């Protein structure tokens, strides 16, 4: 996420009025010390003061950004009350590279059925022009969207997922049954790996379906000074071995303060921008997984509690995680919540006992 011309009063009285106006405006206004190279999960900047002669106080007030985006903690000049959209984005090889994930506030990567993972991508702060490819939804994805009070965007479903959305009367846009006007098919890929949407299209759909527009979602906890307080060992590289064809890794970029994402050893890029996907906050959460039918569909625990790891600014900390107040949150030993750094967040949900390679 990312001054008006000076009015010069002609007399002292005007200056006094201006000075009083400025005053009125301002007044309103645990991980061990080291980790083995292969380890299971279980083991505001302050501006300098400037004299009024060189930079009038009124300018400082005008350029202030008094609000924060709820899902990133980054500053904005307007209060954000709009519901986020949660889009199911495919991760089969035919769907790569994807588009728009670099503009999501939060992305969950979770196993679906068979030999695939899927992205649960949450958009609120950025007006992504292209998002996709969009695919179908599963019950545990519905649970995440419901907890976030998001408009759920998908193309198809499992029967259990549809029953859950219908029973709870959740706001959702389904390309397969009735909402095709808010999606489009690209011509450079074969169906079903070519379905896309955008923030504008999703907003049009939500308005046409008369979904509630004001958000009732959770508040996230961000570090007040925008600096990591993690207490564990340095981790500059981490590899997450989901299943065949889905080895994910992140490498820390100290110059930018982010973890850069790769898949199968190659940078994971956005299709439109060519930008490598990256995250300010990286969480790897162990969860109970169970295959429930011959198609390989699963149940995945998205409630917790469970064990996990959080990485920020090249540092790590072992945590427990649990869904509380609508969000999967990280807790240090003693039960204190670990705050996120302002910026985006990627959450990797993995089966219990997953072994990570860390350097």
């Amino acid at each position: 996420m990312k001054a008006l011309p000076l009015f010069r009063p002609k007399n002292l009285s005007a200056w006094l009025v201006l000075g009083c106006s400025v005053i009125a405006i301002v007044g309103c206004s645990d991980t061990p010390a080291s980790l083995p190279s292969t380890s299971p999960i279980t083991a505001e900047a302050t501006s300098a003061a400037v004299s009024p002669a060189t930079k009038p106080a009124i300018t400082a007030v005008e350029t202030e950004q008094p609000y924060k985006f709820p899902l990133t903690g980054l500053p904005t000049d307007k209060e954000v009350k709009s519901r986020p959209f949660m889009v199911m984005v495919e991760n089969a090889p035919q769907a790569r590279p994807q588009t728009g994930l670099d503009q999501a506030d939060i992305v969950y990567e979770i196993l679906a059925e068979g030999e695939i993972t899927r992205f649960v991508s949450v958009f609120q702060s950025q007006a992504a022009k292209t998002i996709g490819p969009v695919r179908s939804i599963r019950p545990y994805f519905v649970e995440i969207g419901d907890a976030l009070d998001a408009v759920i965007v998908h193309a198809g479903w499992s029967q259990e997922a549809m029953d859950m959305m219908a029973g709870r009367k959740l706001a959702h846009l389904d390309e397969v049954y009735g909402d095709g006007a808010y999606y489009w098919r690209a011509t450079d890929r074969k169906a079903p790996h070519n379905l896309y949407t955008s923030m504008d299209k999703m907003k049009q759909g939500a308005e046409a379906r008369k979904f509630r527009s004001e958000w009732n979602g959770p508040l996230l906890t961000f570090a007040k000074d925008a600096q990591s307080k993690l207490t564990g060992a340095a981790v500059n590289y981490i590899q997450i071995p989901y299943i065949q064809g889905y080895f994910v890794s992140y490498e820390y970029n100290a110059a930018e303060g982010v973890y850069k994402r790769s898949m199968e050893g190659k940078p994971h890029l956005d299709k439109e921008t060519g930008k490598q996907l990256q995250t300010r906050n990286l969480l790897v959460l162990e969860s109970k997984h169970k295959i429930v039918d011959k198609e390989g569909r699963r149940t995945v625990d998205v409630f917790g509690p469970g064990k996990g790891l959080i990485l920020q600014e090249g540092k790590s900390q072992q945590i427990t995680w649990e869904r509380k107040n609508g969000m999967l949150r990280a807790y240090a030993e003693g039960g204190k919540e670990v705050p996120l750094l302002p910026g985006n967040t990627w959450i990797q949900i993995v089966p219990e006992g997953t072994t990570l390679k860390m350097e």
Side-chain angles (χ1 to χ4, degrees):
M1 270 49 33
K2 358 193 220 209
L4 301 175
L6 291 178
F7 172 73
R8 302 184 181 279
K10 295 182 179 180
N11 53 58
L12 179 59
S13 298
W15 276 111
L16 290 173
V17 171
L18 177 61
C20 293
S21 300
V22 171
I23 292 171
I25 293 171
V26 174
C28 295
S29 111
D30 284 21
T31 357
S34 62
L35 290 170
S37 60
T38 301
S39 169
I41 298 179
T42 52
E44 272 162 43
T46 303
S47 301
V50 182
S51 67
T54 59
K55 190 171 184 180
I58 187 70
T59 303
V61 171
E62 289 168 352
T63 57
E64 262 184 18
Q65 292 183 301
Y67 301 103
K68 305 287 184 184
F69 284 109
L71 299 179
T72 67
L74 294 172
T76 177
D77 58 356
K78 295 180 180 179
E79 187 175 8
V80 177
K81 295 184 177 181
S82 57
R83 294 178 78 175
F85 293 89
M86 189 190 84
V87 187
M88 302 307 308
V89 174
E90 184 183 10
N91 194 28
Q94 303 94 318
R96 303 176 197 161
Q98 295 85 357
T99 303
L101 292 176
D102 59 333
Q103 297 176 71
D105 295 344
I106 303 173
V107 180
Y108 301 78
E109 183 172 14
I110 314 175
L111 286 163
E113 63 272 356
E115 299 293 303
I116 63 173
T117 65
R118 191 155 290 173
F119 298 117
V120 180
S121 52
V122 184
F123 295 83
Q124 187 184 51
S125 68
Q126 298 192 60
K129 294 182 179 180
T130 305
I131 304 168
V134 182
R135 288 303 296 272
S136 58
I137 195 161
R138 299 293 177 263
Y140 42 97
F141 302 147
V142 174
E143 292 286 8
I144 292 172
D146 187 11
L148 285 171
D149 190 40
V151 176
I152 299 170
V153 181
H154 61 106
W157 29 262
S158 68
Q159 190 59 52
E160 186 181 355
M162 179 53 75
D163 291 345
M164 184 180 293
M165 290 188 291
R168 300 182 188 182
K169 296 181 170 53
L170 301 183
H172 69 103
L173 299 171
D174 179 10
E175 186 269 346
V176 174
Y177 288 96
D179 298 313
Y182 313 115
Y183 303 77
W184 70 88
R185 294 276 176 184
T187 58
D188 59 342
R189 289 179 174 173
K190 294 181 179 180
H193 315 291
N194 63 345
L195 184 67
Y196 294 86
T197 187
S198 67
M199 282 293 280
D200 283 345
K201 289 280 189 184
M202 294 186 295
K203 287 179 179 179
Q204 290 171 17
E207 184 175 353
R209 295 284 302 275
K210 295 180 169 39
F211 295 150
R212 170 175 45 82
S213 60
E214 188 161 334
W215 190 42
N216 294 330
L219 296 177
L220 276 63
T221 302
F222 291 96
K224 293 182 179 179
D225 57 3
Q227 292 184 337
S228 177
K229 300 295 191 298
L230 301 189
T231 59
V235 176
N236 291 309
Y237 173 86
I238 181 169
Q239 185 185 88
I240 306 164
Y242 274 102
I243 45 181
Q244 183 178 355
Y246 291 84
F247 277 63
V248 176
S249 61
Y250 291 86
E251 187 167 3
Y252 182 59
N253 183 302
E256 299 180 40
V258 296
Y259 282 91
K260 302 263 187 178
R261 177 183 166 94
S262 295
M263 285 203 67
E264 295 296 298
K266 297 180 180 180
H268 192 170
L269 308 178
D270 180 86
K271 183 176 184 293
E272 299 298 322
T273 67
K275 178 182 177 182
Q276 186 174 4
L277 301 180
Q278 62 187 39
T279 184
R280 189 88 163 109
N281 304 282
L282 176 60
L283 284 76
V284 185
L285 309 181
E286 274 198 7
S287 164
K288 296 180 178 67
H289 288 54
K290 182 181 179 181
I291 296 177
V292 295
D293 61 24
K294 62 182 181 181
E295 282 77 26
R297 294 189 180 94
R298 307 168 188 268
T299 60
V300 177
D301 177 19
V302 291
F303 294 90
K307 297 180 180 179
L309 187 74
I310 183 170
L311 296 93
Q312 299 170 338
E313 296 186 334
K315 296 181 287 186
S316 68
Q317 186 169 329
Q318 291 198 22
I319 58 165
T320 58
W321 69 271
E322 187 172 359
R323 194 180 97 176
K324 289 186 179 180
N325 300 321
M327 183 66 189
L328 275 60
R329 301 175 189 270
Y331 295 92
E333 186 176 354
K336 184 176 182 180
E337 185 174 357
V338 179
L340 301 173
L341 297 181
N344 69 325
T345 299
W346 276 66
I347 300 174
Q348 307 285 153
I349 296 182
V350 301
E352 288 181 316
T354 295
T355 298
L356 308 175
K357 179 180 178 182
M358 293 182 280
E359 299 172 359

